[in-house]
Amino acid sequence: MNSATVRNLLVRGMLAGLAAGLLALVVSYFLGEPSVDAAIAFEEAHAHGGDHGEELVTRTMQSTAGLSTGVLVYGVAFGGIAALAYCFALGRIGRFGPRSSALLLAVAGLVAVYVVPFLKYPAQPPAVGDPDTVGQRTALYFLMVLLSVLLAVATVILGKRLAPRLGNWNATIAAAAFFVLAVGLAYVFLPSHDSVPEQFPADVLWEFRLATLAVQVTLWTVFGLVFGVLAERVLVPRAAAAAEQAGRAAPVPH
């Protein structure tokens, strides 16, 4: 794949990430913000001292302009990184077309980058938990993300190595079993860390975690669908497309 194609896919990946970010923003605002407000209200009700000083950024600003900026910037950056991963994976994961490869990448990315770490270290609302453990919790989470991505890559490599001897179906099952086993071992050996207070409302916590999962599912799904269409326009030869269109337009002989 030449540099011009990679550049075109990178730009289209960022555009697809922006589109995905717009829809993820809607989901985040309507599903996530109510639970964030409830979490902040809980923290304020149980805070000691009462005086927290002057608020530099209002909650309204955080939930509108701040949320929009964060999600959209994240979407563009996410789309660019995913497009580069797509360029690397294209042709190495099987004989899939541009759209199928984009959807496969989106599903694999959602599982490896978010779902697997989420099951070990689920999200918790802001302003909840011991602030002294934020650094440790963040480090553990990103360590789990790194392990999950590396195991996903190793799973693909293992599946391709086993396919000539076991066949595609059996190789896929064996590779998936390896991934599940390796992730299970990581779950066992990595320390657990739950700093949510016992008196924190369980329904608010559950709604917040479902909302974060919905945002990620929206982000990855929309990206896979939109980027698949945009990538196909770049990767499918224009000459073949023009020939096909000319063939359709040719008059039918009588």
Side-chain angles (χ1 to χ4, degrees):
M1 187 178 296
N2 56 52
S3 59
T5 302
V6 173
R7 183 172 61 252
N8 288 335
L9 289 175
L10 175 61
V11 172
R12 283 159 176 77
M14 296 171 71
L15 291 175
L18 178 61
L22 286 171
L23 288 182
L25 174 62
V26 175
V27 174
S28 178
Y29 182 80
F30 287 103
L31 295 184
E33 286 304 305
S35 56
V36 172
D37 289 335
I40 293 176
F42 172 86
E43 190 271 341
E44 291 177 348
H46 292 78
H48 300 286
D51 185 13
H52 300 281
E54 184 179 356
E55 190 177 28
L56 298 178
V57 181
T58 65
R59 174 64 188 139
T60 301
M61 183 66 70
Q62 292 174 1
S63 62
T64 52
L67 178 65
S68 301
T69 302
V71 173
L72 295 181
V73 170
Y74 174 81
V76 172
F78 150 80
I81 295 173
L84 293 177
Y86 178 86
C87 294
F88 176 80
L90 192 64
R92 294 182 172 90
I93 56 176
R95 297 180 179 179
F96 298 99
R99 292 193 186 189
S100 300
S101 297
L103 285 175
L104 186 61
L105 174 68
V107 172
L110 174 64
V111 172
V113 177
Y114 189 77
V115 174
V116 169
F118 175 84
L119 294 176
K120 175 62 178 178
Y121 300 113
Q124 63 184 49
V128 173
D130 186 359
D132 295 334
T133 63
V134 171
Q136 182 181 2
R137 286 185 278 125
T138 302
L140 288 173
Y141 178 79
F142 281 106
L143 176 60
M144 189 67 238
V145 172
L146 178 61
L147 286 175
S148 179
V149 172
L150 292 177
L151 288 174
V153 174
T155 299
V156 173
I157 295 174
L158 178 63
K160 292 178 67 69
R161 296 281 180 86
L162 293 177
R165 287 182 290 175
L166 302 180
N168 290 333
W169 179 254
N170 292 331
T172 301
I173 294 177
F178 161 78
F179 182 76
V180 172
L181 177 61
V183 168
L185 291 175
Y187 282 0
V188 171
F189 287 103
L190 285 177
S192 299
H193 213 301
D194 186 6
S195 60
V196 179
E198 294 183 0
Q199 64 271 29
F200 188 82
D203 57 337
V204 174
L205 182 62
W206 177 249
E207 290 171 1
F208 176 81
R209 289 175 174 173
L210 283 182
T212 59
L213 182 60
V215 169
Q216 291 295 324
V217 169
T218 301
L219 190 69
W220 285 95
T221 302
V222 174
F223 172 81
L225 293 173
V226 175
F227 182 68
V229 174
L230 298 178
E232 187 176 52
R233 295 180 179 179
V234 175
L235 297 173
V236 175
R238 294 184 178 181
E244 181 181 357
Q245 185 176 3
R248 292 177 180 177
V252 178
H254 297 285

